[in-house]
Amino acid sequence: MSVESVEASLKTGRSGIGKEEAKRRLQEFGPNILQEKKGPSALRIFAEQFKNYLILILVAATIIALFLGDFTDALVISVVIILNAILGFYQEYRAEKSIEALKKLTAPKAVVIREGCEETILASELVPGDLVLMETGERVPADIRFSECTSLEIDESLLTGESVPVKKRVERLEVKTLSVAERNNMAYMGTIVTRGRGRGYVVSTGMKTEIGRIAELIQTVESEETPLQVKLRDLAKKLTYIVIIICLIVFFTGILREGSIFDMFLNSVGLAVAAIPESLPAVVTITLALGVQRMAKRNAIIRKLPAVETLGSATVICSDKTGTFTRNEMTVRKICTNNNIFEVTNVGYEPKGEFYNNGSKINPNENSSLSLTLTIGALCNNAKLEKNENWCIIGDPTEGALIVAAEKAGIKQKVITKQYPRIGEIPFESERKAMSTIHKTPEGTEVAYVKGAAEVILNLSNAIYSDGQIRELTGKEKEEILKINQEMASDALRVLAVAYKELPNAYQEYTPENVENNLIFVGLMGMLDPPREEAVSAVQKCKKAGIKVVMITGDNEFTAKAIAKELGLLEGDGKTLTGAELENMSDAQLDKIVQEVTVYARVSPEHKLRIVNSLKKKNHIVAMTGDGVNDAPALRKADIGVAMGITGTDVAKEASEMILADDNFASSVAAVEEGRIIYNNIKKAIYYLLSTNIGEILIIFIGLIIGLPIPIVAVQILWINLVTDSFPALALSVDSAEADIMLRPPRNPKEPVITRKMIYNMTVVATVMCVSTLLLYSSALGVFSPLGISYSNLDTARTIAFTNMVFLQLFHTFIVHSQRESIFKIGTFSNRYIILATVISLILQLAVVYLPQLQTLFHTTPLSLLELVIVVLGSSSIIFATEVVKFFERRASSPQM
């Protein structure tokens, strides 16, 4: 729409709206704030922690224990339940802050014109039709259509991902379906004015603004369960069914054998307790928490614990370009002057680098054309290079790149600005595509230095500077320079041309008409936001690990493709898709090609959401990295959202599961590696704990079936499951990485947490436990004696069975350390935490057996030295059995076989 059409549509004008009308519109449209949907209460979040199937089983066990008067068991289980609920509550309660962070991005006050008078009001009181004034450094208070602009540039990177401030204009745009990044006659709430001034009419406020739409998206995107949460829930369901079936079998078998109903009920409860891995929720939570500490050392800060294992199963990483793959520091890469192409080394704002011509290092100050090009770039400039903790640019990043390039050649901006003091300026305007500054030379003459678009500067030039000489610029030379300009642009370089003009007379006023003509062309400077060096190697690491990396950016297609090629993402032409093309596609059409596309350019927040959704439909586990407000909805929807810690907005951080402290894409890949290690270790812990449970079930079930009194009582089972098992399980959780962890393809998300191989191995271990324990138990009871079972030895027999089970598990810990390699090959000291855990568990078990205060509580009696030796020999049988299994497995998978 034209400005006049906007004024007519909004019923406003150059005097703004009236104060009474403003009040009426405030009633109609509501305050200019981001509204937050009411989230779950703290009580509801806490209650949600008890929906876990394993926790519900534990609650049932507590109720049964209380019913039977077994207050000790009930107390122990209750403590486990409450601790787990508190941990889960703490993690989730902290996560409900995304909209609060968005609110920080809105301006607190705004300058408006109402009834022809300028006044400052609260930004929340803005209404459609208000005429707003904006200046450098201010945050845009609403979505605004410009009516006036003077050298206005706005940083929209938090909305669009564009690293360069957008130059604004007033004229209507011809194309109706433009992305946010291309609507250069608009300003959007939350963005920042970096240069110039302007005024315009408010067209949208509050939740109707672009940032408001993102707030709406964040609130409507539902968080989904991680793969591990789903698998553990399914495991708990299956365990529940198995427990019920086995308990019913034992209960009715006992009754049919004329056992008392109460005794059979008690035995069934004991079996139920044996079947439930009480410490599993706590061990998994603590394992993830320990993993979080390790990841923090690798610059990956985890906000939500389950996200750790999700990273390990990631099949796709979708990443924003600016500041993630790239440094977000514009850098001059090539300079063309006097028919020579010079390459500039080093990236970023640190003023260190070399200059090369045809592969040979040169001194830029010995080449007059190159030296003058750099000097003009530094003088025709309003940015500043400063060093705080790091080198940084104050002002426009493009102008900053020109200063850094000059500094690399030893041309100090602070020095030359004193030698050539500025006496005038013609600011950049999008219509002219040029900027000029006028300086006094040491000789006392005046000179204008000009920079701008190559085609514009060439049209304004009639001469060219060449090796200290000035000669006529021919039409053929202009064509050749434009050809070089096009080649540099096709490499995604942002190209600026520089020229100068000696001013013979002191003008009373410097205007484009009297300054920007008959220029002397000097050279071209090409710059870009360079890729991070470590991002290149990280991309290659992902390829070897079978992880697809996708670039999603608000930048133009040429720039995105060029950066992708430098990163090694695109091979050949590659498959790219623009926001405009995506807009014209249905979800079904996108689903067909989503796995082929590597680069998405000029996309909006809704597009990012569609891409993530489409990838998830293809059963991908999607990690999304980003730093801007525009990334927040996709971060929330992805299986794991990864925000940048330095440049990332609060919105992105609050919507994410993980934050990269160093803003480095490579750190996200390191986090994936750590996630794979953690998942493997969790599987080891689950395998270790469930082996015990299956062993306990077999011991109790078979013992009851063959007519023996229950071999292990409920409190002893709880001790094994909660205490002596937990320390070794935690030791397994900090196992180091296997050598080929990032050479394996991503884990199939549908793969069960317990594989067939694990079931087979658990069955072997449980059978050994059952046979070993029941043999020792039966012998202690005198089953093999002519006198038959002696119930006077029942506590001693149970103590032997109890201690044998604990020792079996301690030996088992060293075997689980590697499910393929022999314990004698990897060594018993390869994980010092296992040694420590074994010692702790051993001391605790001996305390239960030999301390009188604990004997009554755990129904134990002290064992003699001979009985203890027999237990050690019996429990060590598990090493022999599992080593035999590993040997045959290695032979079966050997190539020679």
Side-chain angles (χ1 to χ4, degrees):
M1 296 171 70
S2 65
V3 174
E4 293 74 22
S5 299
V6 172
E7 290 173 342
S9 174
L10 294 171
K11 296 179 181 177
T12 185
R14 293 177 179 269
S15 299
I17 59 175
K19 293 182 180 181
E20 290 303 315
E21 177 63 14
K23 289 180 182 178
R24 189 194 67 77
R25 294 190 185 190
L26 191 61
Q27 288 273 321
E28 181 183 350
F29 296 102
N32 179 36
I33 59 173
L34 300 180
Q35 296 169 351
E36 184 175 359
K37 288 185 179 177
K38 191 176 180 181
S41 65
L43 185 61
R44 182 177 172 183
I45 293 173
F46 187 74
E48 291 284 327
Q49 307 308 312
F50 296 91
K51 285 191 174 181
N52 183 302
Y53 270 88
L54 282 174
I55 298 299
L56 290 175
I57 296 171
L58 291 179
V59 171
T62 305
I63 294 168
I64 292 169
L66 287 170
F67 177 74
L68 296 173
D70 197 339
F71 299 109
T72 303
D73 289 6
L75 178 64
V76 172
I77 301 172
S78 298
V79 169
V80 173
I81 294 169
I82 292 167
L83 283 176
N84 191 76
I86 290 171
L87 277 171
F89 168 79
Y90 177 71
Q91 287 294 326
E92 288 188 31
Y93 190 70
R94 288 181 60 206
E96 301 296 323
K97 296 180 181 177
S98 293
I99 308 305
E100 289 179 24
L102 270 171
K103 288 176 179 176
K104 294 177 185 177
L105 293 179
T106 57
K109 293 186 178 180
V111 179
V112 299
I113 293 177
R114 287 182 177 174
E115 297 179 350
C117 298
E118 186 177 310
E119 61 178 291
T120 301
I121 64 169
L122 292 173
S124 60
E125 296 174 359
L126 283 174
V127 294
D130 260 326
L131 181 57
V132 178
L133 279 61
M134 289 164 286
E135 293 185 352
T136 304
E138 293 181 352
R139 196 179 288 277
V140 178
D143 285 6
I144 291 167
R145 168 68 162 89
F146 288 114
S147 59
E148 291 181 28
C149 286
T150 304
S151 304
L152 187 66
E153 295 183 13
I154 295 182
D155 179 359
E156 296 180 344
S157 59
L158 62 79
L159 260 184
T160 65
E162 289 250 23
S163 53
V164 178
V166 180
K167 295 176 175 63
K168 295 298 180 178
R169 54 184 280 192
V170 174
E171 295 78 21
R172 67 188 292 269
L173 304 176
E174 299 299 326
V175 183
K176 290 183 179 180
T177 55
L178 290 173
S179 67
V180 170
E182 295 168 310
R183 300 173 198 165
N184 57 14
N185 59 7
M186 292 285 296
Y188 295 99
M189 179 191 275
T191 58
I192 299 172
V193 179
T194 58
R195 184 178 183 182
R197 63 182 186 276
R199 63 174 62 192
Y201 298 108
V202 173
V203 294
S204 298
T205 58
M207 298 300 284
K208 298 294 183 183
T209 62
E210 285 294 321
I211 203 171
R213 289 170 61 230
I214 292 173
E216 184 71 27
L217 286 171
I218 292 173
Q219 295 181 80
T220 54
V221 171
E222 294 182 2
S223 298
E224 298 180 11
E225 286 185 309
T226 69
L228 183 63
Q229 286 174 319
V230 173
K231 289 169 186 174
L232 287 177
R233 189 192 65 225
D234 291 342
L235 173 63
K237 278 184 183 178
K238 290 171 184 174
L239 280 174
T240 305
Y241 301 144
I242 291 168
V243 168
I244 292 170
I245 292 167
I246 292 176
C247 288
L248 288 173
I249 291 172
V250 169
F251 183 74
F252 287 110
T253 302
I255 291 175
L256 290 173
R257 293 180 56 189
E258 299 182 353
S260 81
I261 293 177
F262 181 77
D263 287 342
M264 286 304 99
F265 182 70
L266 195 63
N267 290 338
S268 298
V269 170
L271 194 59
V273 174
I276 302 166
E278 286 88 356
S279 64
L280 183 57
V283 166
V284 169
T285 302
I286 295 168
T287 302
L288 291 171
L290 291 173
V292 166
Q293 293 178 16
R294 290 210 308 271
M295 293 175 94
K297 292 177 182 177
R298 301 183 76 173
N299 293 312
I301 300 164
I302 298 295
R303 295 182 65 248
K304 299 174 185 176
L305 283 183
V308 177
E309 70 83 21
T310 316
L311 266 172
S313 58
T315 58
V316 177
I317 300 177
C318 296
S319 178
D320 190 47
K321 176 185 73 67
T322 306
T324 310
F325 282 123
T326 63
R327 297 171 61 95
N328 201 16
E329 297 177 345
M330 290 294 284
T331 306
V332 172
R333 298 287 284 268
K334 286 183 181 180
I335 298 174
C336 172
T337 181
N338 193 26
N339 295 320
N340 285 306
I341 299 290
F342 299 94
E343 294 180 350
V344 188
T345 65
N346 283 9
V347 295
Y349 292 149
E350 185 177 7
K352 289 183 180 179
E354 310 291 345
F355 291 78
Y356 286 82
N357 179 228
N358 295 322
S360 300
K361 183 180 174 181
I362 60 115
N363 183 346
N365 295 308
E366 292 177 359
N367 185 304
S368 60
S369 296
L370 177 57
S371 179
L372 182 57
T373 301
L374 293 166
T375 300
I376 294 173
L379 286 171
C380 186
N381 204 307
N382 288 321
K384 290 182 181 179
L385 176 66
E386 292 186 0
K387 185 177 183 181
N388 298 317
E389 291 183 8
N390 298 301
W391 289 95
C392 63
I393 291 295
I394 307 299
D396 187 289
T398 301
E399 292 194 325
L402 302 180
I403 296 172
V404 173
E407 295 265 353
K408 288 178 181 178
I411 301 170
K412 307 290 185 183
Q413 187 191 36
K414 290 181 180 179
V415 175
I416 60 171
T417 51
K418 290 180 181 178
Q419 294 173 343
Y420 296 82
R422 184 185 299 189
I423 57 175
E425 176 183 350
I426 305 173
F428 177 88
E429 291 178 354
S430 56
E431 293 78 13
R432 289 174 25 249
K433 295 184 179 178
M435 170 188 175
S436 300
T437 55
I438 297 85
H439 301 260
K440 186 76 81 174
T441 69
E443 292 79 24
T445 60
E446 293 181 9
V447 61
Y449 292 128
V450 187
K451 74 172 187 287
E455 62 274 15
V456 171
I457 301 301
L458 282 169
N459 284 335
L460 297 173
S461 302
N462 59 7
I464 185 168
Y465 183 88
S466 176
D467 290 332
Q469 304 295 316
I470 299 170
R471 57 179 174 78
E472 183 185 355
L473 179 62
T474 66
K476 185 178 180 182
E477 283 180 313
K478 286 186 178 183
E479 288 178 6
E480 289 174 354
I481 293 169
L482 284 172
K483 185 178 178 182
I484 293 170
N485 173 66
Q486 186 58 42
E487 289 172 357
M488 292 171 75
S490 64
D491 287 335
L493 295 177
R494 179 183 171 85
V495 184
L496 288 177
V498 294
Y500 75 98
K501 177 184 178 180
E502 294 179 354
L503 303 178
N505 302 310
Y507 296 117
Q508 289 187 346
E509 185 181 7
Y510 301 108
T511 65
E513 290 74 24
N514 61 24
V515 172
E516 293 174 354
N517 55 58
N518 300 322
L519 301 179
I520 301 166
F521 182 85
V522 181
L524 302 173
M525 302 178 78
M527 66 208 76
L528 87 167
D529 183 10
R532 293 176 178 269
E533 291 177 14
E534 55 272 32
V536 178
S537 57
V539 167
Q540 293 307 311
K541 200 170 189 179
C542 283
K543 286 186 176 181
K544 291 177 182 177
I547 300 168
K548 180 179 175 66
V549 181
V550 177
M551 179 190 288
I552 305 178
T553 178
D555 265 348
N556 65 67
E557 187 177 3
F558 279 120
T559 302
K561 286 178 73 172
I563 295 294
K565 285 178 180 177
E566 281 202 47
L567 288 164
L569 282 177
L570 277 181
E571 296 176 358
D573 289 336
K575 184 79 174 174
T576 62
L577 203 63
T578 65
E581 292 169 331
L582 195 56
E583 194 66 40
N584 294 323
M585 281 185 179
S586 66
D587 287 344
Q589 290 173 317
L590 177 60
D591 292 344
K592 288 180 181 178
I593 65 166
V594 71
Q595 297 189 97
E596 302 167 19
V597 181
T598 305
V599 176
Y600 295 87
R602 289 289 192 209
V603 294
S604 68
E606 291 91 340
H607 294 153
K608 293 185 179 188
L609 260 182
R610 286 183 64 195
I611 294 162
V612 171
N613 279 327
S614 193
L615 284 166
K616 291 182 77 169
K617 286 179 193 174
K618 297 294 181 181
N619 297 318
H620 282 292
I621 300 295
V622 183
M624 167 76 183
T625 71
D627 55 3
V629 173
N630 62 326
D631 295 318
L635 287 175
R636 199 82 181 268
K637 182 63 179 175
D639 294 287
I640 176 158
V642 185
M644 302 298 111
I646 299 172
T647 59
T649 60
D650 287 345
V651 184
K653 290 174 186 176
E654 292 296 340
S656 68
E657 282 78 25
M658 184 177 85
I659 299 170
L660 300 182
D662 59 352
D663 281 19
N664 198 329
F665 176 76
S667 295
S668 66
V669 179
V672 169
E673 181 178 2
E674 199 64 50
R676 289 187 174 193
I677 296 167
I678 290 166
Y679 187 80
N680 279 351
N681 291 345
I682 286 174
K683 284 189 72 172
K684 286 180 187 178
I686 291 172
Y687 164 69
Y688 173 79
L689 292 171
L690 290 184
S691 297
T692 305
N693 291 98
I694 295 172
E696 289 166 356
I697 291 169
L698 286 177
I699 290 165
I700 295 172
F701 184 64
I702 293 175
L704 291 172
I705 293 298
I706 62 177
L708 295 174
I710 187 166
I712 318 173
V713 295
V715 72
Q716 292 172 344
I717 295 167
L718 277 172
W719 176 260
I720 294 171
N721 289 0
L722 289 172
V723 182
T724 56
D725 270 4
S726 299
F727 292 110
L730 289 173
L732 289 169
S733 72
V734 292
D735 250 354
S736 55
E738 295 175 38
D740 64 342
I741 195 76
M742 286 300 280
L743 298 177
R744 305 172 189 170
R747 191 176 65 253
N748 183 349
K750 293 184 178 179
E751 177 190 284
V753 71
I754 301 175
T755 60
R756 288 185 179 181
K757 182 182 175 183
M758 284 176 68
I759 292 172
Y760 170 72
N761 288 338
M762 284 191 293
T763 303
V764 171
V765 169
T767 302
V768 172
M769 287 182 175
C770 177
V771 172
S772 170
T773 303
L774 285 181
L775 279 174
L776 293 180
Y777 179 62
S778 301
S779 298
L781 283 175
V783 170
F784 305 114
S785 165
L787 299 174
I789 295 175
S790 171
Y791 285 95
S792 62
N793 294 328
L794 184 58
D795 281 348
T796 301
R798 280 178 173 163
T799 304
I800 289 172
F802 175 36
T803 306
N804 188 66
M805 277 293 298
V806 171
F807 281 26
L808 278 164
Q809 278 298 84
L810 296 182
F811 280 120
H812 188 215
T813 310
F814 293 94
I815 299 159
V816 177
H817 184 38
S818 175
Q819 293 188 38
R820 176 178 171 81
E821 298 297 336
S822 168
I823 187 177
F824 303 108
K825 181 179 178 180
I826 62 174
T828 55
F829 294 96
S830 54
N831 183 340
R832 68 179 184 274
Y833 295 106
I834 288 179
I835 302 296
L836 179 62
T838 302
V839 171
I840 292 171
S841 295
L842 184 61
I843 291 170
L844 289 171
Q845 181 60 24
L846 293 176
V848 165
V849 173
Y850 292 104
L851 289 180
Q853 299 91 328
L854 297 176
Q855 287 170 357
T856 305
L857 187 64
F858 288 95
H859 310 290
T860 59
T861 59
L863 300 179
S864 68
L865 180 61
L866 177 61
E867 288 169 332
L868 201 58
V869 170
I870 291 171
V871 167
V872 171
L873 292 174
S875 58
S876 64
S877 61
I878 196 169
I879 295 177
F880 172 76
T882 50
E883 283 297 318
V884 170
V885 172
K886 285 183 182 180
F887 172 76
F888 284 110
E889 283 182 351
R890 287 195 297 271
R891 287 195 63 184
S893 60
S894 173
Q896 286 80 9
M897 296 301 288

